[in-house]
Amino acid sequence: MLAALAVALVAGLVALAGWWLSAAAPPPKAPHPFGMGLREAAPATSGVAALLLSWQSAFFNALRAMLTSIRDGGGGAWALLGIGFAYGVFHAAGPGHGKAIISAYIVSSERALARGIAVSVAAALVQAVVAIALVGIVFLLVGGTAATMSRTANAVEIAGFSLVAALGAYLVWKKAGALAILLRGEGAGRASAFDPTCSCGPVDPARTGRTLVQMAGVALGAGIRPCAGAIVVLTLARSYGIFPLGIAATLAMALGTALTTSAIAMVSVYAKRLALRYAGGRGETTARLGAGAELIAAAFVLVIGLALVAGLWDVGGGT
């Protein structure tokens, strides 16, 4: 019952937010120049998001110009890597499903800063590896067309988004059970689990193993959709005969993306700690509030995954 209520509440809020945002959405973007089926966020028209988009566009144009310069013998490999890193930083600062998944997972399951950063870095690397594999395998080995890459990318997306939904369902089931126990007054000794300063108790290897599996699932789900900008850079580098430099630039983008998403993970971790500390630290009431917040966050992961699989979530251009 608690799980169903949480999922229904989050689904309603997401649907309401989607309806509200769609009313002010700009016209659809023109098709991707390489015919890719990767879904991107609609461009912002004002505010900070528009500024980030303009910076991202400037760095992307610089990337293409640098690739052309290298092709013509002008050099600039190190500059290419620097520009790729900057592009990744600003690209990740925009809207995107990956940051929502990582943040929701941290709120639902993590209080360890190192693990939050690890998930963010892993997701960025997964995104880079998927882009490199798509271009390398589809074009270099299979010799496929843009339509082939589009179909392959869509299949990869569906697999990753399904993984997010499955992880969300598991977290909802787990968190709903924990909240039910606390509401029945059977949570004696569990309140310390919601103490933001508590790291007591022995390490449980089985629990650690489950946590690592969850982290891997979040990283795969958040990073499975390759960056369209990286696809373009890799495709250009391939056509110019400098594919290894395209790979290096893509990895530099991943490092920039990891920097931004790690900063967002840090904010999520510290915000959760602050909220728990403000709620009173230890105690049964705090434990119930913490468990309720974790259930809502877990439901958010599930709803995002289901919406992505169903094609209802407008996947952002960022990670």
Side-chain angles (χ1 to χ4, degrees):
M1 176 63 73
L2 290 173
L5 288 175
V7 172
L9 173 63
V10 172
L13 292 174
V14 169
L16 181 63
W19 172 80
W20 180 69
L21 292 174
S22 65
K29 292 169 61 179
H32 195 278
F34 284 91
M36 290 292 295
L38 297 172
R39 292 163 287 179
E40 295 287 336
T45 56
S46 62
V48 175
L51 179 61
L52 290 173
L53 183 65
S54 66
W55 287 346
Q56 176 186 328
S57 178
F59 282 118
F60 182 68
N61 290 333
L63 275 173
R64 293 194 298 181
M66 191 57 62
L67 284 171
T68 302
S69 173
I70 295 173
R71 179 199 62 182
D72 296 338
W78 288 109
L80 176 69
L81 298 182
I83 296 171
F85 177 82
Y87 174 83
V89 169
F90 289 103
H91 181 65
H97 76 284
K99 292 181 290 295
I101 293 172
I102 293 173
S103 298
Y105 170 72
I106 289 173
V107 172
S108 69
S109 299
E110 279 299 335
R111 286 174 292 277
L113 178 59
R115 288 177 177 172
I117 293 176
V119 170
S120 301
V121 172
L125 292 177
V126 166
Q127 190 176 52
V129 169
V130 170
I132 294 168
L134 277 176
V135 176
I137 294 175
V138 174
F139 275 101
L140 297 183
L141 299 183
V142 181
T145 62
T148 302
M149 181 179 288
S150 179
R151 289 193 297 270
T152 304
N154 287 336
V156 170
E157 281 186 332
I158 292 299
F161 297 157
S162 298
L163 180 62
V164 172
L167 176 63
Y170 168 75
L171 291 175
V172 167
W173 170 75
K174 181 180 177 182
K175 300 302 178 181
L179 179 58
I181 290 174
L182 290 170
L183 291 177
R184 290 198 299 267
E186 302 173 6
R190 294 174 179 256
S192 62
F194 296 94
D195 179 3
T197 62
C198 178
S199 57
C200 51
V203 175
D204 182 356
R207 181 177 179 181
T208 300
R210 289 193 297 270
T211 299
L212 292 176
V213 170
Q214 291 176 21
M215 290 170 62
V218 171
L220 286 173
I224 199 68
R225 188 191 67 83
C227 170
I231 293 291
V232 174
V233 167
L234 287 164
T235 305
L236 285 174
R238 169 191 169 273
S239 66
Y240 292 166
I242 50 175
F243 190 58
L245 282 178
I247 293 177
T250 299
L251 293 176
M253 290 182 195
L255 290 177
T257 297
L259 178 64
T260 299
T261 53
S262 293
I264 295 173
M266 290 176 63
V267 172
S268 299
V269 169
Y270 284 117
K272 182 175 182 178
R273 290 180 181 178
L274 181 62
L276 290 174
R277 185 175 290 112
Y278 181 78
R282 297 176 183 268
E284 189 172 316
T285 300
T286 300
R288 290 174 177 174
L289 290 174
E294 291 185 352
L295 175 57
I296 294 298
F300 189 65
V301 175
L302 174 58
V303 170
I304 290 176
L306 292 175
L308 287 168
V309 172
L312 299 178
W313 184 278
D314 184 12
V315 180
T319 295

